[in-house]
């Protein structure tokens, strides 16, 4: 079995929760093993994660962006047999003996077409393809359905941020929390202070590293952001880079509200017709997260989606451009509720996306009533409402009570706010602090009705 205990690791890195899923993939023994596609934006830690997992495992690692000569030679191969011969002769690769990892795989024009053969002809082989723009790999042909296992890596979630800071007691408290448990005031305040840091710093590993080492993490963050502009220019044009900026800034300015193309550029502006395509590309590149808004009648689901940014540090910089940074303790001031509330909702969206993938959406119960998030796990629904408040208020319950009266008895609802966890407030409604969002899959994996 491909397994490496943490005690044997040599390279310093931030522990990532996705690591276990990659190890499980490498431990699978199937004659026709699916190819693992690891997607994620630039600088979210894909390469570091893979190198950590593969440290003591025989493997061939190719980075096509750093080694253009490999890209050229791969694309000169006339077919898959030619590609196999190249790997064997130049890189001494035998699929029965080594894991194949190709980073920035989208740089090749041929690899996407050969995924099916990697699964069908390499018996018991493990192949991992990754890249910051990996969605472009199948641009010229159909994606090989049934031949790929797809994982997404996002910036550090709050729990990983705590792990990076070695706050072991707080990590343990999160990991063992159950609905109905209490958290001491001392720990609650520590959680809020660290959550405040997380909202401002974000989760890009290199930025977090600079922050922990008391370096200029703000400059590092915007250096990374500039690399996304460079990627955009590569696939669009230098003349259109302003549209990239407008789209990202529009998401930041309107986060938490319905997202419309006209928020990026006026309807009558020359570049308006390109905006929908640019948003679609940013979603594929994992820079923007799209959350559909669903009602109780599928045939009437024609609502504008909500959009969120992939990193909270980038979001803070774009949303509060020209304004001082805002902390959780200031959220009770009326004029600050909307600005900080959007950032908290974005943080919750990223946490839910990490855990539930495509089983996350917004809920439109009526023209007057909406709920920030719904998640579906084992055909059971949980509604989640984010409130910008340090105190629980009874009027928070009404939308969730409407939800529970409309859905099956095994559904459940949560209010997320800035206060400590509370017991059951009403039938099947709990109030939890924002920082517990990373634990929802664990809390509800047996179905909401199984926990009280």
């Amino acid at each position: 079995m491909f397994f490496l205990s943490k005690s044997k690791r040599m390279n310093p890195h931030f522990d990532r929760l996705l690591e276990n899923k990659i190890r499980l993939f490498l431990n699978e023994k199937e004659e026709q093993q699916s190819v693992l596609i690891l997607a994620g934006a630039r600088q979210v830690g894909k390469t570091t994660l893979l190198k950590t997992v593969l440290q003591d495992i025989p493997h061939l690692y190719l980075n096509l962006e750093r080694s253009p000569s490999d890209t050229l030679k791969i694309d000169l191969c006339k077919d898959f047999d030619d590609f196999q011969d190249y790997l064997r002769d130049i890189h001494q690769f035998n699929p029965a003996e080594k894991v194949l990892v190709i980073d920035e795989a989208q740089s090749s024009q041929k690899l996407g077409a050969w995924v099916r053969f990697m699964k069908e002809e390499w018996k018991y082989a493990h192949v991992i393809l990754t890249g910051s723009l990996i969605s472009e790999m199948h641009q010229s042909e159909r994606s090989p359905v049934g031949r790929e296992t797809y994982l997404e890596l996002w910036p550090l979630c709050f729990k990983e941020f705590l792990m990076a800071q070695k706050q072991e007691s707080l990590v343990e408290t999160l990991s063992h929390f159950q609905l109905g448990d209490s958290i001491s005031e001392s720990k609650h305040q520590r959680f809020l202070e660290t959550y405040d840091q997380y909202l401002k710093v974000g989760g890009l590993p290199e930025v977090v590293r600079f922050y922990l080492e008391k370096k200029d993490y703000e400059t590092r963050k915007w250096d990374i952001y500039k690399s996304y502009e460079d990627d955009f220019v590569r696939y669009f044009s230098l003349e259109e880079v302003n549209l990239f900026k407008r789209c990202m800034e529009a998401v930041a300015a309107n986060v938490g509200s319905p997202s419309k193309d006209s928020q990026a550029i006026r309807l009558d502006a020359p570049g308006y017709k390109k905006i929908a395509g640019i948003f679609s590309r940013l979603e594929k590149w994992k820079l923007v997260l799209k959350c559909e808004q669903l009602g109780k009648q599928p045939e009437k689901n024609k609502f504008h989606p909500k959009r969120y940014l992939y990193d909270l540090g980038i979001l803070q910089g774009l949303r509060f451009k020209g304004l001082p940074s805002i902390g959780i303790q200031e959220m009770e001031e009326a004029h600050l509720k909307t600005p900080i509330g959007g950032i908290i909702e974005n943080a919750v969206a990223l946490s839910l996306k990490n855990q539930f993938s495509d089983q996350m959406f917004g809920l439109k119960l009526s023209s007057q009533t909406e709920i920030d998030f719904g998640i579906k796990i084992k055909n059971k629904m949980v509604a989640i409402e984010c409130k910008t408040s340090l105190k629980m208020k009874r009027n928070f319950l009404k939308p969730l009570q409407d939800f529970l009266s409309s859905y099956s008895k095994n559904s459940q609802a949560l209010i997320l706010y800035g206060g400590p966890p509370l017991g059951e407030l009403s039938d099947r409604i709990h109030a939890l602090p924002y920082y517990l969002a990373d634990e929802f899959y664990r809390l509800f994996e047996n179905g909401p009705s199984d926990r009280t």
Side-chain angles (χ1 to χ4, degrees):
M1 292 174 64
F2 292 125
F3 184 81
L4 175 61
S5 68
K6 291 185 178 181
S7 61
K8 291 183 180 179
R9 295 179 190 155
M10 300 300 292
N11 296 331
H13 75 291
F14 296 141
D15 288 332
R16 305 303 300 270
L17 301 178
L18 195 65
E19 182 175 329
N20 286 336
K21 290 187 177 180
I22 296 175
R23 292 185 181 280
L24 286 173
F25 167 79
L26 293 174
N27 283 330
E28 290 176 356
K29 295 293 184 183
E30 296 184 13
E31 184 175 355
Q32 292 188 333
Q33 181 69 48
S34 294
V35 172
L36 176 62
I37 305 297
L38 179 60
R42 192 177 294 278
Q43 293 289 328
V44 296
K46 301 182 299 298
T47 300
T48 301
L49 173 59
L50 290 174
K51 287 187 174 181
T52 298
V53 172
L54 294 165
Q55 190 168 277
D56 285 356
I57 298 173
H59 68 277
L60 169 62
Y61 174 85
L62 301 177
N63 187 316
L64 301 190
E65 189 172 81
R66 293 184 181 179
S67 179
S69 62
D70 278 318
T71 310
L72 177 61
K73 291 171 183 175
I74 289 172
D75 286 346
L76 285 174
C77 296
K78 65 178 182 179
D79 54 27
F80 184 70
D81 289 337
D82 207 10
F83 173 61
Q84 290 187 101
D85 291 342
Y86 165 74
L87 290 179
R88 183 185 65 236
D89 295 345
I90 305 302
H91 295 287
Q92 293 73 56
F93 174 72
N94 182 336
E97 298 174 354
K98 293 181 179 179
V99 175
L100 175 62
V101 180
I102 302 182
D103 205 343
E104 301 300 341
Q106 76 282 343
S107 299
S108 167
Q109 298 178 14
K110 295 284 189 72
L111 279 174
W114 294 337
V115 166
R116 57 172 294 190
F117 301 111
M118 295 176 190
K119 173 175 180 173
E120 295 172 0
E121 298 191 18
W122 288 352
K123 306 301 183 185
Y124 301 102
H126 290 87
V127 179
I128 301 175
L129 304 180
T130 186
S132 53
L133 307 177
I134 194 67
S135 62
E136 304 295 338
M137 188 175 67
H138 297 302
Q139 190 175 4
S140 59
E141 73 281 323
R142 291 188 303 170
S143 178
V145 177
R147 297 177 174 90
E148 296 177 340
T149 296
Y150 195 81
L151 293 179
E152 295 177 356
L153 185 66
W154 296 85
L156 272 66
C157 65
F158 177 61
K159 189 172 185 178
E160 291 170 331
F161 189 78
L162 286 173
M163 292 159 62
Q165 293 195 14
K166 310 300 182 186
Q167 298 216 42
E168 296 178 2
S169 66
L170 296 187
V171 173
E172 185 175 353
T173 297
L174 289 185
S175 299
H176 293 92
F177 181 85
Q178 298 291 343
L179 293 180
D181 288 354
S182 61
I183 292 176
S184 70
E185 181 62 22
S186 171
K187 280 190 175 178
H188 175 65
Q189 290 303 319
R190 284 174 58 198
F191 272 123
L192 286 186
E193 289 171 7
T194 312
Y195 198 73
D196 226 2
Q197 297 168 13
Y198 173 61
L199 295 181
K200 294 173 182 175
V201 175
L204 294 173
E206 188 69 5
V207 175
V208 173
R209 193 183 311 280
F210 270 51
Y211 170 75
L212 296 178
E213 295 175 358
K214 303 188 184 305
K215 296 180 180 178
D216 184 1
Y217 70 90
E218 284 287 342
T219 297
R220 185 70 190 106
K221 175 174 66 180
W222 295 115
D223 285 344
I224 292 172
Y225 186 73
K226 179 63 169 60
S227 71
Y228 308 137
E229 293 184 12
D230 295 340
D231 285 338
F232 183 86
V233 169
R234 193 182 315 165
Y235 280 88
F236 288 85
S237 71
L238 183 60
E239 291 73 23
E240 294 175 326
V241 73
N242 191 49
L243 296 180
F244 165 83
K245 295 177 181 178
R246 284 177 176 266
C247 287
M248 296 291 282
E249 289 170 358
V251 173
N254 297 282
V255 70
S257 301
S259 178
K260 305 174 184 178
D261 293 352
S262 58
Q263 292 166 344
I265 191 170
R266 296 191 324 271
L267 288 167
D268 59 351
Y272 176 75
K273 292 183 179 179
K274 299 178 181 179
I275 295 299
I278 290 174
F279 269 131
S280 178
R281 211 56 162 263
L282 296 179
E283 290 156 16
K284 287 183 177 181
W285 293 354
K286 311 306 174 188
L287 294 177
V288 170
L289 169 59
K290 182 179 179 180
C291 184
E292 299 289 356
Q293 306 298 294
L294 306 181
K296 291 185 288 186
Q297 297 175 287
E299 69 276 9
K300 295 183 178 180
N301 285 336
K302 298 179 181 179
F303 310 108
H304 289 291
K306 287 185 178 181
R307 288 188 172 97
Y308 304 94
L309 286 189
Y310 81 115
D311 178 67
L312 298 168
I314 298 293
L315 172 62
Q316 280 260 3
L318 296 178
R319 188 168 174 81
F320 294 152
K321 187 180 292 185
L323 297 172
S325 210
I326 302 172
I328 289 179
Q329 298 298 339
E330 302 165 282
M331 69 168 61
E332 296 296 349
E333 299 181 37
H335 67 290
L336 299 179
K337 280 186 175 292
T338 298
I340 188 64
I343 293 204
I344 290 171
E345 186 175 325
N346 199 120
V348 174
L350 289 171
S351 179
L352 297 179
K353 177 65 174 176
N354 259 315
Q355 299 170 79
F356 299 97
S357 189
D358 294 330
Q359 297 299 312
M360 179 195 79
F361 37 82
L363 291 168
K364 296 278 288 187
L365 302 183
S366 70
S367 60
Q368 301 297 320
T369 306
E370 64 177 46
I371 294 173
D372 293 324
F373 301 106
I375 53 177
K376 192 172 183 181
I377 180 168
K378 296 187 177 179
N379 294 317
K380 300 176 183 181
M381 292 278 291
V382 181
I384 301 168
E385 183 75 354
C386 300
K387 292 299 180 181
T388 314
S389 176
L390 294 171
K391 299 177 182 178
M392 179 62 202
K393 301 173 184 178
R394 298 301 299 181
N395 62 359
F396 293 168
L397 296 174
K398 182 64 169 64
L400 297 177
Q401 289 171 332
D402 290 347
F403 161 79
L404 291 171
S405 67
S406 302
Y407 288 81
S408 63
K409 292 294 184 181
N410 60 8
S411 58
Q412 193 159 338
L414 297 174
I415 293 171
L416 295 184
Y417 79 127
L422 301 175
E424 196 169 43
L425 302 174
S426 180
D427 182 35
R428 293 175 285 149
I429 302 178
H430 286 79
L432 299 176
Y434 313 121
Y435 54 75
L436 279 167
D438 290 335
E439 299 302 310
F440 287 171
Y441 185 84
R442 177 181 60 81
L443 289 173
F444 299 119
E445 62 182 339
N446 295 323
S449 62
D450 298 331
R451 298 188 185 276
T452 58

